[in-house]
Amino acid sequence: MISKTEEYALRAVVCLARHHRAGPVRTGDLARETGIPSNYLSKILHQLGRHEVVASARGRKGGFRLARDPSEIALAAVIEPFGSVTDRERCVLGRPECSDVKPCGAHGRWKHVKEQMREFFAHTSVGDVMERGERGD
């Protein structure tokens, strides 16, 4: 449902949320902790920085950190720099033309699922994910 880049972005941001109070995390350490290739992770983090999801600091004690509190960062803000998963208009059955006017057999139900996904990403914060993960929900 989401691209590998979007998955990696979410994994990186959740990892940074775990270290939120400890200060910046170096890219190499973050790559090891998340299992994301370091070069790929660096590009993802810089893109997230341009969208003010993460902030970076140079120097010996530098690295990346969240730009604001995890509870203030919607999951949509993490994945949207890489293309919103719910705005992809390609037909799930691969038809070249699929719309409300000319729907495929899955169009109506898929449209409903996309709306639920949009709501999930827009109204679930990184903090929510962290809280539920700690409780085991």
Side-chain angles (χ1 to χ4, degrees), residues 79-130:
I79 64 170
E80 283 175 356
F82 309 100
S84 177
V85 68
T86 58
D87 289 339
R88 295 184 185 125
E89 295 301 326
R90 204 174 86 217
C91 175
V92 295
L93 298 180
R95 287 179 48 183
E97 186 177 342
C98 182
S99 66
D100 289 341
V101 175
K102 224 175 165 179
C104 72
H107 183 79
R109 293 184 77 185
W110 177 243
K111 185 177 177 179
H112 178 70
V113 169
K114 282 190 348 179
E115 185 53 42
Q116 287 180 322
M117 287 175 55
R118 185 177 289 119
E119 289 292 316
F120 169 78
F121 284 109
H123 299 291
T124 304
S125 73
V126 173
D128 293 334
V129 171
M130 296 299 299

Side-chain angles (χ1 to χ4, degrees), residues 21-72:
R21 305 240 187 272
V25 180
R26 294 188 167 282
T27 305
D29 295 335
L30 192 58
R32 276 187 295 284
E33 194 168 331
T34 60
I36 302 170
S38 187
N39 288 342
Y40 197 11
L41 178 60
S42 181
K43 291 175 186 176
I44 289 169
L45 292 170
H46 282 84
Q47 183 74 355
L48 290 171
R50 284 190 284 279
H51 287 84
E52 300 178 351
V53 175
V54 301
S56 63
R58 293 186 179 265
R60 205 166 64 86
K61 295 191 180 206
F64 287 89
R65 62 177 174 73
L66 295 180
R68 50 194 183 280
D69 191 80
S71 66
E72 297 174 11

